């Protein structure tokens, strides 16, 4: 008997709900994520997506021209292929998703909805979810809303001009925090777990098998909120060359800055794709590929050159990476 | 009629406004050009300047357009410029997707191209004065990167003659400092600016029916034009391959059917345009919708373990330009 395909290959063969023609930057990781969400939700259930305002919204829903969502014309029997998209202000995607779920539950309760219970998926930027929208995100999680949220972590408010976001790594340059801030970013994974999420994960689509499993698990979580943080290299805001999106996605995990992580409430979780301390690539390897860290270190003739006087700041970033891995291990055991 | 600095000055003196419109690609430098030009003009005691870019949510490689109006007294009109007095083409790749001369018949055109004014006039069907500057090449020479913004600014300052080149340079330096650009780069840009003043080339060409880029008047009730932003984003082709870097494209070659169905490129492509046949091994790749949608992001190249995708050089597609709008 043929062996089953790994999840990501099986997803790759499904019908996508995010289609070409969108206006996201070349190599934008948000786009890669949306394709995976599009494929993973082709599972026989109707899908409702809710989007706040962020790059992924304004560049994919541009009335009257480019609407990049949908699985094309389908006959009514294929209700499970259908897709609803609701978009609203910035911080609203978890709240609107929660409302969609409530309506679906009522319709199911009175017998008006006979089809399988829909996939309800919220998409948001990290600014939308973790800066201005933090309170709505946490309350949605705390109410155990049965939705999945994918948060695109590009560490800036990209859509409005690369302003500082509280998820930014120390010393990452942004338009409103030139040269970055020395403080550690907020512990987004910890916040979601502490608020009571049923499933919390962090993962880059660059680790295709891991990410597909996480997406599948998030979309099928039925006992509360599933939150997936997706580190999203942003070519325009981070200023890197073409062809590095996936590589940066991988390095973000391997250096310990954004390790792959997954945890189901009440069960031990796992921290993945980050080698043990000592075997980890140093953070410089990640930083020198992005001009948002140019003031700390840059590549000169293939060699890493640390800016004189910034060695201490670099050590601080390295220390954050190492502490971050240890903290995630603690959350995994929580 | 020669569309030179004197013509523009007389136009202002007659009470009319001079309307400047620029077309380019997001990330291509147009915004810096217009900001610095506006800042330089604003130092002029008698001129009122209004400038605003039309790019609110433009992503890297998307078409952007910027407007600048100037007049004696106050500029009171506030809407997009549909028939510019001065039209700037910042990136030729944008010229493939939109008609940068739209709404003109005889005007001052500033084009960032290694081509001569004659060649540019022919390629874009231009009547009036055509100024060309190989600003990308200058950028390559002075900055090590093909950045055309400062070269185009110099050509624009020079060709319009509203302010002296020195005043133009000064406001450029001011804008660069405000943007926290390191001093080393600021100095290199100042050198580039001076070089571009002498290297821009000028040609005057008669206006005739072939140089007419004006549109027939829209019927106010039945013709609802696309919004300015939508028209720009979708361009003539309504395709997104124009977001890619100019002069290169990606190809897929697998004559001996080596693709093993690992599916990595399928899930890595941000555009979702990889074409395949389903197979027990996974997705067997047959190609991709490169022509219409590939943004040359190189993620497929980076992901394929068998090196089946390649970036290749391609001449600029001229046919898109010559086709009338
Ligand atoms: C209530 C509200 N406040 C502010 C805005 C303006 N706004 C639109 S997008 C955005 C930033 C989005 O940043 P993020 O969520 O990080 O997503 P990204 O653009 O980085 O993908 C802001 C501030 C808005 N649309 N609605
Ligand atoms: S600005 Fe960044 S997040 Fe926004 S589309 Fe571009 S790469 Fe993606
Ligand atoms: S370069 Fe490759 S991955 Fe990028 S858009 Fe083109 S086909 Fe897709
Ligand atoms: S990455 Fe290469 S080998 Fe793998 S499916 Fe794509 S074309 Fe085939």
């Amino acid at each position: 008997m043929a062996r089953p395909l790994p999840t990501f290959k099986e997803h790759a063969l499904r019908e996508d709900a995010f289609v070409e023609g969108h206006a996201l930057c070349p190599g934008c990781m948000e786009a890669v994520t949306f394709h995976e969400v599009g494929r993973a939700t082709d599972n026989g259930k109707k899908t409702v997506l809710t989007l706040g305002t962020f790059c992924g919204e304004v560049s994919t829903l541009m009335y009257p021209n480019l609407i990049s969502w949908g699985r094309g014309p389908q006959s009514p029997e294929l209700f499970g292929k259908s897709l609803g998209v609701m978009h609203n202000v910035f911080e609203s995607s978890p709240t609107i998703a929660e409302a969609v779920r409530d309506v679906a539950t009522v319709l199911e309760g009175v017998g008006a909805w006979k089809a399988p219970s829909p996939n309800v998926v919220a998409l948001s930027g990290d600014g939308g979810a973790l800066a201005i929208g933090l309170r709505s995100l946490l309350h949605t999680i705390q109410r155990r809303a049965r939705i999945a949220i994918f948060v695109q972590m590009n560490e800036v408010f990209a859509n409005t001009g690369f302003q500082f976001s509280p998820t930014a790594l120390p010393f990452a340059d942004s338009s409103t925090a030139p040269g970055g801030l020395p403080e550690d970013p907020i512990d987004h994974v910890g916040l979601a777990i502490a608020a009571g999420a049923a499933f919390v994960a962090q993962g880059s689509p660059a680790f295709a098998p891991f990410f597909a499993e996480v997406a599948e698990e998030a979309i099928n979580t039925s006992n509360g909120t599933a939150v997936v943080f997706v580190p999203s290299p942003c070519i325009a805001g981070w200023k890197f060359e073409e062809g590095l999106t996936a590589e940066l996605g991988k390095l973000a995990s391997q250096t310990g800055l954004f390790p792959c992580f997954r945890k189901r409430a009440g069960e031990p979780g796992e921290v993945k794709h980050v080698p043990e301390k000592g075997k980890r690539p140093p953070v410089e390897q990640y930083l020198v590929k992005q001009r948002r860290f140019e003031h700390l270190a840059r590549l000169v003739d293939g060699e890493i050159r640390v800016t004189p006087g910034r060695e201490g700041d670099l050590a601080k970033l390295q220390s954050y990476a190492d502490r971050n891995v240890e903290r995630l291990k603690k959350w995994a055991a929580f | 009629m020669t569309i030179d600095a004197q013509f523009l000055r007389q136009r202002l003196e007659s009470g009319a406004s001079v309307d400047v419109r620029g077309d380019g690609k997001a990330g291509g430098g147009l915004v810096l050009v217009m900001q610095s030009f506006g800042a330089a003009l604003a130092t002029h005691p008698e001129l009122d300047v209004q400038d605003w870019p039309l790019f609110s949510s433009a992503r890297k490689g998307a078409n952007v357009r910027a407007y600048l109006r100037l007049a004696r007294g106050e500029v009171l009109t506030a809407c997009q410029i549909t028939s510019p007095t001065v039209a700037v083409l910042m990136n030729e790749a944008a010229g493939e997707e939109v008609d940068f001369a739209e709404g003109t018949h005889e005007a001052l055109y500033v084009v960032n191209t290694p081509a001569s004014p004659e060649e540019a006039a022919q390629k874009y069907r231009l009547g009036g004065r055509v100024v060309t500057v190989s600003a990308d090449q200058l950028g390559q020479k002075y900055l090590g990167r093909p950045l055309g913004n400062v070269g185009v600014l110099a050509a624009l300052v020079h060709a319009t003659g509203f302010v002296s080149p020195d005043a133009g340079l000064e406001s450029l330096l001011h804008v660069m400092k405000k943007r926290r650009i390191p001093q080393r780069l600021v100095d290199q840009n100042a050198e580039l600016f001076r070089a571009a003043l002498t290297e821009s080339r000028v040609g005057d060409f008669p206006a005739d029916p072939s140089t007419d880029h004006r549109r027939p008047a829209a019927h106010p009730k039945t013709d609802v034009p696309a919004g300015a932003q939508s028209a720009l984003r979708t361009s003539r082709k309504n395709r997104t391959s124009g977001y890619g870097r100019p002069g290169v494209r990606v190809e897929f070659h697998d004559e001996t059917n080596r693709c093993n169905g690992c599916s990595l490129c399928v899930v890595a492509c941000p555009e979702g345009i990889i074409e395949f046949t389903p197979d027990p091994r996974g997705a067997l790749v047959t190609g991709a919708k490169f022509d219409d949608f590939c943004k040359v992001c190189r993620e497929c190249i980076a992901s394929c373990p068998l090196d089946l995708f390649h970036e290749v050089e391609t001449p600029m597609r001229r046919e898109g330009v010559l086709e009338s709008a």
Side-chain angles (χ1 to χ4, degrees), chain A residues 208-223:
Chain A
F210 179 81
F211 190 68
E213 283 169 30
V214 159
E216 182 79 21
E217 190 163 358
I219 286 162
N220 291 312
T221 294
S222 56
N223 61 336

Side-chain angles (χ1 to χ4, degrees), chain A residues 5 8-9 12-14 16 18-28 31-32 35-36 39 54-55 58-59 62-66 158-159 173-175 178-179 205 208 235-236 240 242-247 291 298, chain B residues 56-62 145 180 182 184 226-227 230-231 233-234 238 240 243-245 260-264 266-273 276-284 289 293 295-299 302:
Chain A
L5 285 172
F8 88 97
K9 284 199 184 186
L13 300 179
R14 293 191 190 177
D16 201 344
F18 184 56
V19 293
E20 68 274 357
H22 61 78
L24 293 159
C25 293
C28 177
V32 183
H35 287 298
E36 176 52 22
R39 293 171 186 126
F54 69 118
C55 279
V58 300
S59 309
M62 303 191 302
Y63 181 81
N65 301 91
L66 301 178
N159 181 45
D173 186 75
S174 59
S175 61
I235 189 162
F240 56 83
E242 272 83 2
L244 290 180
T245 306
E247 188 177 333
R291 279 188 282 130
R298 51 196 187 109
Chain B
S56 69
S57 41
R59 308 298 150 198
K60 196 175 174 184
R145 287 209 283 151
R180 298 180 283 114
R184 171 178 52 94
S230 305
R233 281 161 166 167
T234 52
N238 199 15
T240 54
Y243 282 51
R245 284 162 288 133
N260 59 19
C262 78
S263 312
L264 290 173
V266 177
V267 296
C269 174
E271 308 310 309
I273 53 170
F276 59 81
T277 26
D279 184 88
R281 288 170 287 170
L284 283 187
K289 298 179 204 161
F293 297 108
K295 295 181 184 166
V296 199
C297 73
R298 298 183 60 95
E299 289 303 307

Side-chain angles (χ1 to χ4, degrees), chain B residues 193-236:
Chain B
F193 185 92
R194 289 195 197 92
L197 288 174
T198 53
E199 288 193 20
S200 62
R201 289 146 295 168
V202 180
D204 292 307
F205 307 95
D208 61 31
S210 80
T211 71
D212 195 349
H213 296 255
R214 291 171 297 192
R215 289 207 173 169
H219 189 285
K221 288 235 172 65
T222 52
D223 294 347
V224 182
Q229 293 239 9
S230 305
L232 256 189
R233 281 161 166 167
T234 52
S235 84
R236 290 203 266 233

Side-chain angles (χ1 to χ4, degrees), chain B residues 251-271:
Chain B
E251 288 179 353
F252 173 81
H253 291 290
D254 187 17
E255 280 74 24
T256 52
N257 296 330
R258 292 169 63 222
C259 172
N260 59 19
C262 78
S263 312
L264 290 173
C265 60
V266 177
V267 296
C269 174
E271 308 310 309

Side-chain angles (χ1 to χ4, degrees), chain B residues 36-297:
Chain B
S36 313
F37 190 52
L41 296 172
T43 61
H44 195 293
E46 283 156 27
L47 291 180
D48 187 33
V49 187
Q50 171 208 68
D51 79 303
W52 50 283
L54 178 56
F55 59 78
S56 69
S57 41
R59 308 298 150 198
K60 196 175 174 184
N63 300 326
V64 289
R65 184 166 268 191
Y67 304 124
L68 187 148
R69 276 196 178 86
L70 69 154
R72 280 172 182 277
E74 220 177 324
V75 177
L76 289 171
T77 322
C79 60
Q80 55 172 322
I81 292 172
T82 48
S83 47
T85 334
V86 182
V88 179
L89 181 58
M90 182 65 226
N91 310 101
E92 283 203 276
E96 296 195 17
E97 310 227 333
V98 293
D99 179 13
F100 91 101
E102 190 179 312
T104 65
H105 183 209
E106 186 172 33
L108 171 63
Y109 303 95
V110 178
V111 185
N112 172 10
T113 176
S116 66
E118 291 74 21
E119 287 167 330
Q122 207 203 350
K123 178 169 168 186
Y124 297 106
R125 303 186 287 115
L126 307 177
R129 173 161 286 195
V130 179
V131 177
T132 63
V133 55
S134 21
D136 288 359
Q137 285 70 14
L138 286 169
Q140 190 69 45
K141 182 168 161 199
Y142 287 89
L143 313 170
R145 287 209 283 151
L147 270 179
N149 48 14
V150 173
V152 169
L153 174 67
L156 186 61
V157 167
H158 195 47
T160 50
F162 295 118
V163 293
S164 70
D166 282 345
L169 178 56
E170 205 173 306
S171 38
L172 168 71
L173 299 184
H174 183 73
V175 170
M176 290 195 133
K177 283 195 186 123
K178 230 169 101 185
R179 288 188 173 195
R180 298 180 283 114
I181 292 173
Q183 189 60 41
R184 171 178 52 94
L185 276 176
V186 174
D187 295 343
Q188 288 168 346
N189 274 298
E191 235 184 293
L192 195 166
F193 185 92
R194 289 195 197 92
L197 288 174
T198 53
E199 288 193 20
S200 62
R201 289 146 295 168
V202 180
D204 292 307
F205 307 95
D208 61 31
S210 80
T211 71
D212 195 349
H213 296 255
R214 291 171 297 192
R215 289 207 173 169
H219 189 285
K221 288 235 172 65
T222 52
D223 294 347
V224 182
Q229 293 239 9
S230 305
L232 256 189
R233 281 161 166 167
T234 52
S235 84
R236 290 203 266 233
K237 291 184 282 151
N238 199 15
R239 297 289 183 262
T240 54
S241 53
Y243 282 51
R245 284 162 288 133
V248 283
R249 52 173 280 132
V250 173
E251 288 179 353
F252 173 81
H253 291 290
D254 187 17
E255 280 74 24
T256 52
N257 296 330
R258 292 169 63 222
C259 172
N260 59 19
C262 78
S263 312
L264 290 173
C265 60
V266 177
V267 296
C269 174
E271 308 310 309
I273 53 170
I274 309 284
E275 296 168 316
F276 59 81
T277 26
D279 184 88
R281 288 170 287 170
L284 283 187
V285 172
T286 53
K289 298 179 204 161
F290 295 115
D291 286 345
D292 286 342
F293 297 108
C294 174
K295 295 181 184 166
V296 199
C297 73

